[in-house]
Amino acid sequence: DGGITQSPKYLFRKEGQNVTLSCEQNLNHDAMYWYRQDPGQGLRLIYYSQIVNDFQKGDIAEGYSVSREKKESFPLTVTSAQKNPTAFYLCASRWAGELFFGEGSRLTVL
Amino acid sequence: GENVEQHPSTLSVQEGDSAVIKCTYSDSASNYFPWYKQELGKRPQLIIDIRSNVGEKKDQRIAVTLNKTAKHFSLHITETQPEDSAVYFCAAVDYKLSFGAGTTVTVRA
């Protein structure tokens, strides 16, 4: 069954802790993206990767880091430098313009 | 970079009426314009898209129009039903997708 798998679906962390959100795809897509969504707001681009071992900052990259060591995987680390990390995080891959989204990870920092 | 503006932010319509959402974009290099529907707590789902060489596309009750000269595109939903209630996002694509802020559509029964 092809698709994008994000984990965990829900995550609670204490302030000051780094957390890593997993994103795996078996669609064989080169491009992958991380978006952040806050209530009542649109999707804001954090990082994107167009090919393995390469990634670029999006519009709100501060306080986040990524890696792209394998085509299938694009994990996102939310560091303690991110001032307001509580949000819904969406990972996506892209083919011919269309984005295929994972189900999202909801991070709550206590 | 690309800047996408979307209006209105909220839209309430009577069941059976039409709904129209409008978006403008800034980068003339954008050549693909998808629309996504997101239900509460769910991931966005592509509902219709249009490429820059096409002016209009229709799929049952939904249609999208594109005016490249004016850099705007619109989503039209006809004969709205309660299940059309959701948040709708437009996007403009060159090498990355830039999303509008979203429109919350409520269909009143």
Side-chain angles (χ1 to χ4, degrees):
Chain A
D1 204 15
I4 312 287
T5 302
Q6 286 186 243
S7 63
K9 194 168 183 179
Y10 298 96
L11 186 59
F12 296 87
R13 279 295 181 266
K14 292 182 180 178
E15 197 170 330
Q17 289 182 328
N18 290 358
V19 299
T20 297
L21 307 180
S22 170
C23 179
E24 303 282 327
Q25 55 107 351
N26 60 4
L27 301 170
N28 201 34
H29 293 168
D30 285 316
M32 296 188 74
Y33 300 76
W34 274 105
Y35 287 90
R36 168 180 172 144
Q37 188 173 30
D38 294 282
Q41 296 194 33
L43 285 75
R44 294 185 290 167
L45 182 64
I46 305 172
Y47 268 97
Y48 64 102
S49 168
Q50 298 195 80
I51 199 166
V52 175
N53 293 321
D54 185 53
F55 49 83
Q56 286 81 39
K57 292 181 179 180
D59 301 319
I60 55 164
E62 185 176 351
Y64 299 97
S65 66
V66 293
S67 62
R68 188 83 188 277
E69 297 175 1
K70 299 186 300 181
K71 190 175 189 177
E72 302 80 17
S73 180
F74 191 40
L76 173 75
T77 297
V78 185
T79 76
S80 56
Q82 168 50 234
K83 296 288 187 286
N84 185 18
T86 295
F88 186 52
Y89 291 88
L90 283 160
C91 177
S93 67
R94 179 178 164 187
W95 177 255
E98 182 179 351
L99 280 181
F100 297 80
F101 285 96
E103 295 199 3
S105 293
R106 190 169 297 279
L107 171 64
T108 302
V109 175
L110 305 172
Chain B
E2 178 63 273
N3 180 41
V4 179
E5 294 192 358
Q6 183 172 346
H7 300 280
S9 58
T10 60
L11 181 59
S12 179
V13 297
Q14 189 69 36
E15 183 178 357
D17 287 349
S18 296
V20 180
I21 304 170
K22 298 182 179 182
C23 289
T24 61
Y25 63 99
S26 59
D27 188 351
S28 56
S30 292
N31 54 20
Y32 173 66
F33 305 91
W35 286 88
Y36 287 83
K37 175 182 180 182
Q38 187 179 29
E39 296 176 353
L40 192 63
K42 302 277 185 69
R43 63 182 135 185
Q45 301 271 13
L46 179 71
I47 55 171
I48 196 167
D49 56 14
I50 191 167
R51 298 195 181 270
S52 58
N53 58 348
V54 176
E56 184 173 356
K57 183 176 178 180
K58 191 173 181 180
D59 182 4
Q60 299 183 358
R61 295 187 298 106
I62 59 174
V64 58
T65 59
L66 171 65
N67 183 327
K68 281 206 72 179
T69 303
K71 295 197 187 76
H72 66 72
F73 54 114
S74 300
L75 177 73
H76 304 252
I77 308 172
T78 58
E79 300 172 24
T80 52
Q81 301 169 4
E83 53 264 37
D84 294 329
S85 295
V87 180
Y88 292 81
F89 295 98
C90 63
V93 181
D94 43 19
Y95 55 93
K96 61 177 183 175
L97 275 82
S98 298
F99 285 87
T103 298
T104 301
V105 174
T106 303
V107 179
R108 306 187 306 272

